[in-house]
Amino acid sequence: MKSATLYLADTAPAWFSVETLNSESLVGRARVPKTPWATSGLRLHIFGRRQPRVREEAPGTDLPSRCPERHIQGDRTFCLGLHYLTVRSVKEAGQWWVQLDQFLRCQGAAELTRVWPVKQALDHGDAGPHHERALALAAEAGVEEEYASARLGDPNWLTDPKLHLFDEKRHPINGRARCPRGCRRRARGRMVRILRTDCRKRQLLVDLAFTEQLRRKALDRYWQHVFNDGEKCCRTMRGCPLAAHEDRIEETGREKP
């Protein structure tokens, strides 16, 4: 059966030049337009017979060898998405190249601005599936902007523990309390706040708040694992938790709890 790397070589876009190839591995240079490497190119190593992975041929040459905020993993491979694509056809190979193209354009933006495009990635580690589900719930409930604000750390109803939206089994509670979003309806000629129990989206909003709680806990665990690993920050990204962690240790001489 034809390997993924051979399919990828057959469908390589104009911005990628193949240098060496076999059924297990493909090495070439990516010159994605409008990135810092559009002329010189990034030399990449793609490998894997079914689910191809990719990294710099010599990690650390043009990109950090490892950087969570730039989605370069501990094994030096690029995180192209929540799920690895299986490449068994020309169509699937084309989808893989689209993922790589988007990833490298994001790398270009990060290189120039020190910020990863906000809408172009899911959270790290086990937080990723929760983030993906939260985005879907927010879209279904029509509260994308409110969710985006909460995820960026702005205080709102989604993350306020004092509201007590659900119990330990994720069941909605406090139905006679007012809707946490401040929703209103017309009654006797005036607008009044509706109760939680009257909200048609109540379960959706509870599911979103619960999923966001899971996301935050999973992301905290991920960063704690990174801290414990002793990985050094590459200092190429603004607001990196690893950089803040290192600075905190340097300032205090010990790790704060």
Side-chain angles (χ1 to χ4, degrees):
M1 184 180 291
K2 191 171 181 176
S3 71
T5 52
L6 296 179
Y7 276 117
L8 293 175
D10 289 344
T11 58
W15 50 261
F16 188 86
S17 56
V18 177
E19 296 178 0
T20 64
L21 170 69
N22 60 47
S23 62
E24 301 284 346
S25 175
L26 188 165
V27 174
R29 198 168 291 271
R31 297 180 175 87
V32 177
K34 299 181 180 180
T35 68
W37 313 284
T39 301
S40 59
L42 287 172
R43 197 158 189 262
L44 304 180
H45 179 199
I46 302 166
F47 57 96
R49 289 190 62 86
R50 290 291 170 264
Q51 294 182 325
R53 302 193 181 192
V54 56
R55 60 170 173 78
E56 267 199 286
E57 170 64 3
T61 302
D62 290 295
L63 302 176
S65 60
R66 196 277 171 100
C67 176
E69 291 296 84
R70 292 180 69 162
H71 301 274
I72 302 173
Q73 304 178 119
D75 63 359
R76 287 22 181 183
T77 61
F78 302 161
C79 179
L80 302 186
L82 192 57
H83 309 287
Y84 288 108
L85 280 181
T86 298
V87 175
R88 296 165 297 188
S89 68
V90 168
K91 181 179 179 180
E92 290 168 341
Q95 292 170 343
W96 191 91
W97 284 116
V98 168
Q99 282 192 337
L100 180 60
D101 176 81
Q102 183 182 58
F103 178 87
L104 295 178
R105 290 180 187 276
C106 288
Q107 285 293 349
E111 185 79 9
L112 297 172
T113 67
R114 303 183 67 207
V115 175
W116 191 270
V118 175
K119 296 183 179 181
Q120 297 299 321
L122 295 174
D123 282 333
H124 311 300
D126 292 339
H130 298 309
H131 185 192
E132 183 178 51
R133 174 165 167 74
L135 289 172
L137 289 168
E140 187 177 354
V143 294
E144 294 99 326
E145 290 187 10
E146 290 168 76
Y147 176 66
S149 175
R151 181 175 171 262
L152 291 175
D154 296 334
N156 68 16
W157 62 271
L158 260 172
T159 55
D160 186 350
K162 296 178 182 179
L163 290 177
H164 303 294
L165 297 174
F166 51 86
D167 61 18
E168 294 181 355
K169 295 184 178 180
R170 198 170 61 181
H171 296 146
I173 58 175
N174 298 329
R176 302 305 295 174
R178 291 177 175 180
C179 172
R181 297 184 63 227
C183 296
R184 296 174 181 270
R185 64 179 176 85
R186 184 170 294 279
R188 297 179 181 178
R190 62 190 182 93
M191 300 301 292
V192 298
R193 292 276 295 271
I194 68 170
L195 302 181
R196 295 182 190 180
T197 193
D198 296 327
C199 178
R200 292 176 296 175
K201 298 180 179 179
R202 187 183 182 195
Q203 187 61 60
L204 261 180
L205 299 177
V206 164
D207 288 345
L208 175 58
F210 181 76
T211 302
E212 171 61 8
Q213 184 182 92
L214 293 178
R215 183 197 70 82
R216 291 183 174 218
K217 289 179 179 178
L219 190 59
D220 286 345
R221 289 194 301 270
Y222 171 84
W223 280 113
Q224 193 58 54
H225 177 75
V226 173
F227 301 159
N228 294 340
D229 255 2
E231 189 77 33
K232 296 298 181 182
C233 183
C234 64
R235 301 283 168 163
T236 67
M237 298 291 279
R238 282 189 281 165
C240 175
L242 181 54
H245 174 75
E246 291 177 350
D247 291 344
R248 187 164 59 247
I249 293 175
E250 185 175 345
E251 289 172 4
T252 63
R254 62 183 178 83
E255 185 174 353
K256 292 183 178 180

